[in-house]
Amino acid sequence: MRVVLLTTALALAVSGIAMLLHELYVYRTAWTADISTEAAIVALSTVPALTFDDHAAAERNLNALETRRRVMVAALYLPNGTLFASFARPGEAPPPLQAPRDGVSARGENVELAQPVERDGERLGTIYLRARFDVL
């Protein structure tokens, strides 16, 4: 009876851990999809600002992310990698001074994304977003 009980408890624990890890993976995948969509929308809205070298318009576009509570930091970089415009919530670390590599990284509850801003296949710059997603 004890062996059966121990085996059943062990099987339950292993399956519970596997389900938890799967759910965390799915949740993290949803985070990256959400932040990628947000970056794509902001990238489209900043094309005119980059095209016409309009810092004020770029700042306004990035400051609109203030309505997205999860977005902590946003930055727009020129093709040479220099910072063009940025937004950071109070108490958050500023964005990197140079454009990070394109891609997504998720560590803990933070997701960082850098992707190109393009028009007709020409790279106009890079959009960078850092967001915080609650695990619970």
Side-chain angles (χ1 to χ4, degrees):
M1 184 67 112
R2 288 183 183 152
V3 171
V4 170
L5 185 61
L6 182 63
T7 305
T8 304
L10 185 60
L12 263 171
V14 168
S15 64
I17 290 170
M19 285 175 45
L20 177 66
L21 291 175
H22 175 71
E23 287 300 315
L24 285 174
Y25 171 77
V26 168
Y27 194 49
R28 186 163 293 198
T29 303
W31 291 353
T32 56
D34 182 51
I35 198 75
S36 294
T37 302
E38 194 71 38
I41 292 168
V42 173
L44 280 173
S45 69
T46 58
V47 166
L50 286 170
T51 302
F52 299 108
D53 196 33
D54 188 350
H55 289 277
E59 293 282 342
R60 280 193 306 274
N61 287 327
L62 293 179
N63 286 333
L65 290 170
E66 188 174 9
T67 61
R68 297 281 298 174
R69 292 178 304 133
R70 295 176 188 228
V71 176
M72 299 292 132
V73 176
L76 190 59
Y77 297 90
L78 295 173
N80 64 8
T82 58
L83 187 62
F84 184 70
S86 67
F87 159 77
R89 291 194 186 278
E92 287 295 319
L97 293 177
Q98 287 290 354
R101 278 193 198 181
D102 293 347
V104 179
S105 80
R107 279 175 259 126
E109 59 186 21
N110 291 321
V111 177
E112 293 183 356
L113 173 128
Q115 71 182 36
V117 177
E118 296 178 336
R119 183 191 61 184
D120 298 330
E122 177 189 359
R123 187 174 187 134
L124 300 175
T126 302
I127 184 79
Y128 167 81
L129 297 178
R130 185 185 322 140
R132 182 171 298 133
F133 291 87
D134 298 326
V135 176
L136 298 175

